[in-house]
Amino acid sequence: MKKIFLICTIGLVSISLSSCGDSKKTEAQEVTVSPEESAPKEGFEVSISGDDTMKFDKTEIKVPVGETIILTLHHTGKMDKAVMGHNFVVLKTGVDMAAFAEKAAVAKDNDYIPASETNNIIAHTKTIGGGESTTIEFKITEAGTYPFMCTFPAHYALMKGEIIAE
């Protein structure tokens, strides 16, 4: 009797666990990676994080002039991108950040990157939500100080800083 009870219990637990999660079945997709893609990228690596309190963990980043910068943005919060999205935008020297942020706030359809301002941008990530990360590569070819910011609506006030290219 105890054996039957144990077997039934194990069976029920197995069925319960296998039915948890997404009801849609997905098939594994084979991905072919070329040797170039699998090789580690060369460049100056930078990591920056944003959270649900609208703060970057860095307000100053020093980079070498002329070298490829591999920047990874991590969203360490839990909120969805529609509520607390973050991106990372590097502007050219002299761009009015407040005016840029105002235009960006209404550019939802373009991931908060105003199409009219692309000539003022050195690089930018896509907008990500809690638990996500994204990586970009870019170069700064002249020494100087370059502003960076998150252009999600109302984030610019707290989420900004400077990249110093030396």
Side-chain angles (χ1 to χ4, degrees), residues 8 10 12 38 46 50 54 57 65 69 86 102 117 132 143 155:
C8 288
I10 291 171
L12 287 173
S38 63
V46 177
M54 294 190 333
D57 66 340
V65 173
I69 299 158
H86 296 318
E102 189 175 311
E117 296 296 311
E132 297 179 324
H155 288 199

Side-chain angles (χ1 to χ4, degrees), residues 56-67:
F56 282 131
D57 66 340
K58 295 176 179 74
T59 57
E60 182 179 282
I61 300 170
K62 292 187 178 183
V63 300
V65 173
E67 191 171 330

